[in-house]
């Protein structure tokens, strides 16, 4: 049987759910295909929102009319307005509560969800994607598609570029590995090139520890303050791990010299991995056990290996109707970044399906500037002069892009000023229309 929707989003991480919401709001009959039995992908274990420049991106989205996922994470935040090294005014959403809440929101809006629908085949002609097919044999047709399949794993890449499969939340062995739709269409994909020691990819930068395995005093501190910083004994400090992190915004010496723990429901340990026998020598962590990845003592998931060229409307280069979002759309790291790029990709997929002109977010806004600055061209070079392309992780929360935001005067925590800028750009409420 063939199933038709005007817009089909493939991948149900933060970028995919954001794309589905935006396409639905723009009036398109929208469906989402997700490989596993849960939405949110890497977002099932993240939690940090609104830190540094993400505050601006969040408020811009609220003002533009694509803020419901931010309002949702705000509503389930365990801590608000907290600080930890290099990061200010962060919120931490409860990673245990986010998925069911997001799923309800999508269903309430009338978006059709196909869970455990892993897309493995595509039929295309002259750059037009005609249909995709799941490994269960379901065939999906649409006028426009969004590839929001992320860049985590699969196991072969975690083996080749990292320390092996660490049994992370993506659960490749049970549900089958990630499959890129762009790749099914024959588009070239690029890896981040910023690690000096390996050919590409970067390792996820945090692990989760079961809070109930921490000492009572450490648990109480996390519950009350959201943050605990514990010095690491000198012989256990490993600065070289910082270089391999996906999240350059946390690649600061403080994160090698201390254990930074954040309360996201689990205790989020801000390091890619930490040998269990060392961890248990640290006061308060004598009984510590990893919740994600299960082998957090040895490694973590590899990411940033599957970026494609696109324009500022999020249309993948060389295609007529495939939009890209999230980690697929640039060397982009973060929930906020996935939601921003997803919203534009989803809206434009709907506009294309309706035969209307595509939209671009002006670069007077941080979200618009980020979208243009993080793109690569078909040779894998930065799409704009001065861009970092494959050699940097792009995030509003730190590293090169946050520096750029500050230099351009785009960083502020004044909500009224952000709304005014959105209004002046002619973008207030546009996603709601
Ligand atoms: C351990 C960890 C901690 C993190 N912590 C934070 C944090 O605190 N704050 C923050 O902002 N960011 C954090 N991040 C980064 C952030 O989670 C990601 O950058 C972002 O969520 C990526 O979203 P995405 O939609 O692009 O990809 P993903 O979340 O990877 O979603 C892709 C989805 O596509 C599905 N899929 C893949 N192939 C197919 C297919 N062929 N058919 C159907 N479905 C398919 C996958 O199952 C998955 O659900 C963290 C990441 C990790 C791994």
């Amino acid at each position: 049987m063939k199933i038709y929707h005007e817009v089909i989003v493939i991948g149900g991480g933060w970028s995919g759910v954001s794309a589905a919401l935006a396409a639905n709001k723009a009036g398109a009959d929208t469906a989402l295909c997700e490989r596993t039995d849960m939405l949110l992908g890497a977002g099932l274990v993240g939690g940090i929102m609104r830190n540094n420049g993400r505050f601006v991106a969040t408020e811009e989205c609220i003002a533009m009319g694509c803020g419901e996922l931010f309002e949702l994470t705000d509503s389930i935040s365990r801590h608000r307005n907290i600080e930890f090294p290099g990061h200010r005014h962060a919120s931490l959403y409860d990673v245990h509560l986010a998925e069911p809440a997001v799923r309800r929101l999508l269903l309430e809006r009338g978006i059709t969800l196909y869970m455990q629908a892993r897309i493995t085949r595509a039929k295309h002609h002259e750059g037009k994607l005609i249909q995709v097919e799941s490994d269960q044999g379901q065939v999906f047709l649409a006028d426009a598609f969004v590839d929001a399949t992320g860049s985590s794993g699969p196991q072969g890449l975690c083996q080749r570029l990292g320390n092996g499969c660490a049994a992370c939340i993506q659960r490749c062995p049970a549900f089958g590995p990630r499959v890129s739709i762009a790749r099914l269409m024959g588009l070239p994909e690029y890896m981040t090139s910023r690690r000096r020691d390996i050919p590409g990819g970067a390792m996820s930068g945090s692990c989760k520890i079961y809070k109930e395995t921490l000492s009572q005093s450490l648990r109480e501190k996390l519950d009350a303050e959201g943050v605990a910083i514990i010095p690491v004994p000198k012989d256990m400090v490993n600065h070289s791990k910082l270089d391999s992190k996906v999240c350059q915004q946390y690649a600061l010496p403080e994160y090698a010299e201390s254990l930074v723990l954040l309360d996201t429901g689990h205790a989020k340990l801000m390091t890619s991995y930490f040998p269990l026998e060392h961890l248990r020598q640290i006061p308060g962590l004598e009984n510590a056990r990893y919740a994600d990845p299960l082998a957090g003592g040895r490694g973590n998931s590899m990411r940033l290996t599957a970026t494609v060229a696109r324009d500022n409307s999020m249309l993948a280069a060389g295609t007529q109707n495939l939009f890209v979002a999230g980690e697929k759309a640039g060397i982009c790291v973060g929930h906020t970044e996935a939601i921003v790029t997803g919203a534009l990709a989803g809206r434009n997929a709907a506009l294309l399906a309706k035969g209307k002109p595509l939209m671009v977010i002006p670069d007077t806004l941080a979200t618009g500037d980020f979208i243009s600055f993080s793109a690569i061209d078909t040779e894998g070079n930065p799409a704009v002069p001065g861009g970092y392309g494959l050699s940097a992780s792009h995030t509003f929360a730190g590293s090169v892009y946050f520096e750029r935001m500050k230099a351009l005067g785009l960083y502020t925590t004044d909500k009224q000023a952000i709304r005014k800028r959105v209004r002046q750009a002619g973008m207030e409420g546009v996603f709601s229309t």
Side-chain angles (χ1 to χ4, degrees), residues 31-84:
L32 185 152
C33 299
E34 163 55 39
R35 175 182 68 94
T36 71
D37 58 357
M38 283 195 282
L39 297 173
L40 294 194
L44 285 163
V45 289
I48 307 174
M49 305 292 281
R50 286 186 175 268
N51 47 331
N52 294 349
R54 285 178 179 156
F55 187 94
V56 179
T58 300
E59 292 299 326
E60 284 186 6
C61 285
I62 292 171
M64 287 192 290
C66 56
E68 52 271 81
L69 292 172
F70 296 113
E71 284 157 353
L72 184 150
T73 51
D74 281 348
S75 74
I76 54 165
S77 285
R78 297 177 63 84
H79 303 275
R80 293 179 182 81
N81 203 17
I82 62 165
E83 298 199 7
F84 49 93

Side-chain angles (χ1 to χ4, degrees), residues 289-311:
R289 178 168 163 175
Y290 286 105
D292 174 83
L294 289 177
R298 187 182 170 108
N300 213 317
S301 50
M302 295 303 294
R303 309 204 329 265
L304 310 189
T305 55
T307 289
V308 300
R310 53 143 176 101
D311 66 16

